[in-house]
Amino acid sequence: MTEPRVPPLLQMALRVEHDIFVIRQRGREVAAVVGLEHQDQIRIATALSEVARDLLRMSGGADVSFRVEAGVDGRFHLRAELAPVTPLPDGYEPQSGAVSRLVDTLRVSRVEGATVVGMSRRVPANAPTPTPERLAEFRAELGRTAPASALDELTAQNGQLIAALDEVRSQRDDLAVLNEELAETNRGVLALYNQLTEELEETNRGVVALYAELDEKSAQLRAASESKSRFLANVSHELRAPVTAIIGLGRLLTDTASEPLTGEQGRQVELIRSSAADLLGLVNELLDLAKAESGRIEPDWAEVDLRQLFGQLRGTLRALATRPEVELVVEELLSPAVLRSDEVLLGQVLRNLLHNGLKFTERGEVRLRARQSDDRWSFTVSDTGPGIAPELHERIFEEFYQVPGATRVGGTGLGLPYARRLVTLLGGTLELTSEPGRGSTFTISLPVDGA
Ligand code: ADP
C-alpha cells in the first residue's frame, strides 16, 4: 500500500509547439511560488522546455504536473512529471548531460503504472515549509496568474539570457582581475627571490674572501712562529760559546795556580761567573724550547722502567731540596711499572715540575706519584706551595710568563712551556689544578704504549 500522493499544484497539457513556451513559463512561476532561488527557477524551467520538446516530437505530447514532495533526505523538492500521451520508444533516456545538470534528478520511471519523465529540484531550507495550507495558497496563487503569450515568454527568456551572459562576463572580468593580481604577486615573489639569491651570493663571496684572508693570516702566523724559533735557536747557539768562555775565564782567574786576586777582585770575578752561569742556563733553556718548537726533538721510544727513573729523580733532586721545612716525597712503585716513552724527556719534565715545586714551596711537601688506569699512566706532582689563581692556569704555560708578586726565586718562565711541549711530543697532556693558598697539582697523562 502506497500513501495517496499529494494533489498537484498545477497541471497542464503539452500538445502543440506553443505549449512548450507555456510550460516553460509556468514551470518558472511554480518554482518561484514554492521558494526556489532565481537561478534555480531558470534552471528547472529550461530543463522542462527541453524535455517537453523531446516528448512533443517523440510521443505527440504529454500531461504535465507539478508537486511539492518531501524527499528521503527530509527536505522538500519541487517535482515535475511529464506523462507522455503515447508510449515512448523503448530505451528512451531524457537528454542527459547538459540538461540533467540543470536539475537534481532527471529520469524515466513508472508512477502508478504509467511511464513518466520526472525531474526535481530541492527547495532551499530557508523557504517557508509547504504545509497543506501553504500548498492550498500556492494553488490559488498559480490559478490567478494567467499564462502569457509565446512572445512574452521569448522576451522573458531573452532577458534571462542577457542576465546570464552578463553574469558570465562579470565572472570573466573577475577572473581577469584575479589573474592580473596573481601575475603581480608572481612578479613580486620572483623579485624577492632574485634579491635573496643576490644577497646570498654576496654573503657567500664575503665568506670566501674572509676564509682566504684567514688562511693568509694563519700562514703568516706560522711563518712568524717559525722565524721566531729559528731566531731563538740561532741567537742561543751563538751566545753559548762566549758565555761558556766567560765562565771558563772566571774559573781560570780564581784558580789557585793563577796570580792571587785581592778580596774585592775575587768577589767581582765570582759575580761575573755566577751571572754568566745564569745566562748559560737561560740560553740552554731557550735552545731546548726552540728545538722542541721546531720539531727537531725526536723522542727515543723505548720501554721505560719507572721504578728506576724514580730512583734517579730521588737522587738528583735531593740536592735541590735544601729547606728543612719541605719534604720531597717520590712515592714508591709497588709492582714493576713500565711504559713506552722517552726516558730522558720524561725525566726532564718530571725534574722540571719537582724543581718548581721545591722552588715555590716554603713548608710542607712536594710529592710525585704515578698511577696506571687502563691504557694510561698519570703522574702527579703536587705541592703545598702558594698555589696559582685559576685565571693564570693557561698563562703560566706561555713563554717567559711568571706569576707577578710571587716570591722571587729566580727562573726564566720557560720551564713550563718547554715541559708541555715535551709531554705533547710524548703523546700526552700536561694540566694544572690549583688555587691560591691550597698548593698546586700538575698532572701528566701519557699513553702506556707511547704515542
Ligand atoms: P720559572 O719557574 O723558570 O719561572 P716556569 O715556566 O717553570 O718558569 O713557571 C712559570 C711560572 O709559573 C713561575 O714563574 C711561577 O710563577 C709559576 N709556577 C710554576 N710552578 C709553580 C708552583 N709549583 N707553585 C706556584 N707557582 C708556580
Side-chain angles (χ1 to χ4, degrees):
M1 270 287 293
T2 49
E3 278 189 35
R5 299 191 74 194
V6 286
L9 290 176
L10 184 70
Q11 276 178 310
M12 303 172 64
L14 166 70
R15 296 293 181 272
V16 292
E17 192 80 22
H18 172 77
D19 292 339
I20 296 173
F21 290 104
V22 182
I23 286 171
R24 188 181 194 286
Q25 188 205 9
R26 301 247 57 191
R28 193 154 52 79
E29 283 167 8
V30 177
V33 163
V34 301
L36 256 60
E37 281 161 2
H38 183 70
Q39 292 290 337
D40 280 350
Q41 296 167 19
I42 295 168
R43 283 194 181 96
I44 196 163
T46 310
L48 264 173
S49 71
E50 288 304 302
V51 174
R53 199 182 307 284
D54 264 2
L55 296 190
L56 186 64
R57 185 163 43 81
M58 287 189 294
S59 146
D63 293 322
V64 185
S65 60
F66 296 92
R67 285 184 174 80
V68 172
E69 289 176 339
V72 279
D73 56 0
R75 301 270 301 275
F76 288 96
H77 297 252
L78 171 63
R79 186 173 162 78
E81 282 173 7
L82 299 92
V85 286
T86 59
L88 280 169
D90 273 350
Y92 166 74
E93 278 292 329
Q95 295 190 22
S96 52
V99 175
S100 66
R101 272 201 296 275
L102 296 171
V103 284
D104 295 330
T105 63
L106 171 64
R107 66 177 75 94
V108 184
S109 56
R110 294 190 71 77
V111 176
E112 292 170 352
T115 304
V116 298
V117 180
M119 63 179 75
S120 72
R121 184 85 196 170
R122 202 157 55 180
V123 177
N126 58 3
T129 310
T131 54
E133 297 76 46
R134 287 283 298 155
L135 290 176
E137 274 174 36
F138 288 169
R139 262 178 228 110
E141 195 177 333
L142 287 167
R144 275 197 299 279
T145 53
S149 71
L151 199 61
D152 292 341
E153 182 56 18
L154 206 60
T155 314
Q157 213 170 334
N158 259 346
Q160 288 154 13
L161 203 60
I162 288 166
L165 279 175
D166 253 3
E167 192 171 328
V168 168
R169 200 183 40 222
S170 99
Q171 276 175 1
R172 206 184 44 209
D173 290 351
D174 286 353
L175 207 64
V177 170
L178 272 179
N179 266 342
E180 183 49 42
E181 279 174 14
L182 200 67
E184 183 79 17
T185 312
N186 271 350
R187 275 194 294 278
V189 169
L190 206 67
L192 202 68
Y193 175 80
N194 284 340
Q195 192 184 339
L196 279 178
T197 313
E198 244 169 62
E199 277 174 23
L200 199 69
E201 276 172 15
E202 183 101 0
T203 313
N204 273 352
R205 276 197 294 276
V207 170
V208 169
L210 217 62
Y211 267 107
E213 203 175 316
L214 218 62
D215 280 350
E216 198 182 321
K217 286 276 184 292
S218 51
Q220 283 172 1
L221 221 61
R222 241 190 338 268
S225 163
E226 274 163 19
S227 50
K228 183 200 76 179
S229 298
R230 221 172 16 248
F231 171 77
L232 282 182
N234 289 340
V235 169
S236 333
H237 191 74
E238 293 305 317
L239 275 177
R240 217 150 44 154
V243 172
T244 315
I246 293 171
I247 294 172
L249 282 173
R251 196 177 298 122
L252 253 178
L253 281 173
T254 51
D255 200 89
T256 42
S258 312
E259 294 260 317
L261 302 172
T262 65
E264 180 56 23
Q265 282 174 332
R267 265 194 304 281
Q268 300 281 355
V269 171
E270 199 42 54
L271 208 64
I272 294 173
R273 245 180 68 173
S274 86
S275 298
D278 281 352
L279 192 58
L280 187 63
L282 170 65
V283 165
N284 281 338
E285 279 190 52
L286 269 177
L287 198 59
D288 284 343
L289 186 64
K291 265 210 284 197
E293 281 193 344
S294 63
R296 269 184 286 150
I297 294 180
E298 275 283 332
D300 184 8
W301 298 101
E303 296 285 296
V304 178
D305 180 349
L306 290 179
R307 288 216 273 195
Q308 196 184 318
L309 177 62
F310 278 25
Q312 283 170 9
L313 288 173
R314 250 179 239 114
T316 52
L317 286 161
R318 194 165 301 134
L320 295 171
T322 47
R323 287 196 188 99
E325 306 86 359
V326 180
E327 194 189 353
L328 170 68
V329 185
V330 177
E331 285 190 4
E332 288 291 341
L333 285 155
L334 299 176
S335 48
V338 280
L339 86 151
R340 207 178 141 66
S341 195
D342 181 315
E343 181 167 344
V344 176
L345 299 184
L346 179 57
Q348 237 176 321
V349 174
L350 291 174
R351 207 171 301 117
N352 187 318
L353 296 177
L354 287 166
H355 189 191
N356 271 356
L358 290 169
K359 260 197 314 190
F360 295 105
T361 307
E362 296 195 319
R363 63 182 56 80
E365 63 164 33
V366 177
R367 177 181 290 268
L368 167 63
R369 157 187 302 183
R371 288 278 181 279
Q372 187 186 359
S373 68
D374 298 331
D375 55 351
R376 293 191 89 80
W377 270 99
S378 78
F379 300 85
T380 54
V381 177
S382 52
D383 62 50
T384 54
I388 300 165
E391 63 273 19
L392 300 179
H393 284 189
E394 278 308 309
R395 290 216 64 188
I396 58 164
F397 288 99
E398 290 171 12
E399 290 148 34
F400 299 110
Y401 187 80
Q402 295 181 303
V403 176
T407 332
R408 289 266 38 94
V409 283
T412 56
L414 289 173
L416 287 179
Y418 180 51
R420 189 172 252 184
R421 276 267 157 206
L422 292 188
V423 172
T424 311
L425 275 177
L426 295 175
T429 55
L430 169 57
E431 302 296 337
L432 163 66
T433 46
S434 179
E435 262 181 64
R438 300 193 153 215
S440 312
T441 301
F442 289 87
T443 306
I444 301 167
S445 168
L446 288 177
V448 169
D449 54 359

